[in-house]
Amino acid sequence: MEGVSAVPVPQPRARTADSASGAAPDSAGSRRSLAAGLLLGAAGATVVLLASGQTWAEGDAATGGGALPLSVDGQAVTGVPAALAVVGLAALVAVFAVRGAGRRIVAALLALSGLGATVSAWAGGSDSTALDEEAARTTGDAAATIHAIDHTAWPYVTAAGGLLILLAGLLALRYGSRWPAMSGKYERDGTPRPGKAPRTAPDPDRPEDLWKALDRGEDPTREA
């Protein structure tokens, strides 16, 4: 067996879980965070807008003829949560229209919108100023007082919606750099488009060319 040399046989590399799946290591996590951010932001804004229109406080105003039942909704107590929910929705859409530092700024705006909506809704849960103003307007007596004030749970539902917007903003701040942006394939890059090739004169020996020229409104007898 002289003259025979041992040639090393290359061994196949061990396939990792990421290479076996054919996907980038963080692609699945990015998709999950993107879906969670969209769901939390949209759901939170919807909850805030709907809950702000519900009755937040009710009570009885003392009048000469007895007690007059009154109630006020969240918009009468404070319009801040609903306004910030609209800002949050706009920021949620704008996250995908910008990149880099602009995306971080918009994500921070989204988080701050949720935080502001939460704080203002929570503070409105025990506010009776709107009921006093409603009593003065209804009875015509600026000194009218409200008795048996009852605050509902809707302010705290609104605050919970604000927390969802806040979580969406925090997700955008943490993972937004990995999220895709709006496609720019429809944006013009300033490159001039190639012009159409000039039409050649119809061949008089081809009747179909003459008919096509007539259909286009051209004079087939005119030389090009």
Side-chain angles (χ1 to χ4, degrees), residues 56-211:
W56 280 25
E58 50 193 7
D60 297 329
T63 62
L68 177 65
L70 298 174
S71 63
V72 290
D73 61 11
Q75 295 285 357
V77 174
T78 173
V80 174
L84 289 178
V86 175
V87 173
L89 277 177
L92 186 64
V93 175
V95 164
F96 301 97
V98 294
R99 301 173 185 267
R103 175 167 290 185
R104 289 191 293 272
I105 293 173
V106 175
L109 177 61
L110 176 62
L112 290 175
S113 299
L115 179 61
T118 300
V119 172
S120 58
W122 191 274
S126 57
D127 190 357
S128 59
T129 304
L131 267 179
D132 294 334
E133 293 175 353
E134 180 67 14
R137 186 188 66 82
T138 303
T139 62
D141 182 6
T145 57
I146 300 293
H147 303 282
I149 298 177
D150 182 23
H151 295 280
T152 68
W154 286 112
Y156 306 106
V157 175
T158 307
L163 284 177
L164 295 181
I165 301 175
L166 173 60
L167 288 175
L170 295 178
L171 281 175
L173 282 172
R174 176 64 179 84
Y175 301 102
S177 59
R178 307 176 187 175
W179 295 353
M182 290 182 179
S183 174
K185 65 179 180 179
Y186 297 110
E187 298 178 2
R188 299 193 59 180
D189 56 0
T191 305
R193 297 181 180 179
K196 295 182 179 179
R199 292 194 180 100
T200 58
D203 187 355
D205 294 332
R206 294 174 57 86
E208 60 273 18
D209 289 352
L210 298 177
W211 284 112

Side-chain angles (χ1 to χ4, degrees), residues 10-73:
Q11 300 295 325
R13 295 181 179 179
R15 299 179 64 188
T16 62
D18 292 333
S19 61
S21 62
D26 62 345
S27 61
S30 298
R31 288 194 297 268
R32 286 194 295 268
S33 63
L34 171 60
L38 286 174
L39 180 62
L40 290 172
T46 302
V47 169
V48 171
L49 292 174
L50 291 178
S52 295
Q54 305 300 319
T55 299
W56 280 25
E58 50 193 7
D60 297 329
T63 62
L68 177 65
L70 298 174
S71 63
V72 290
D73 61 11

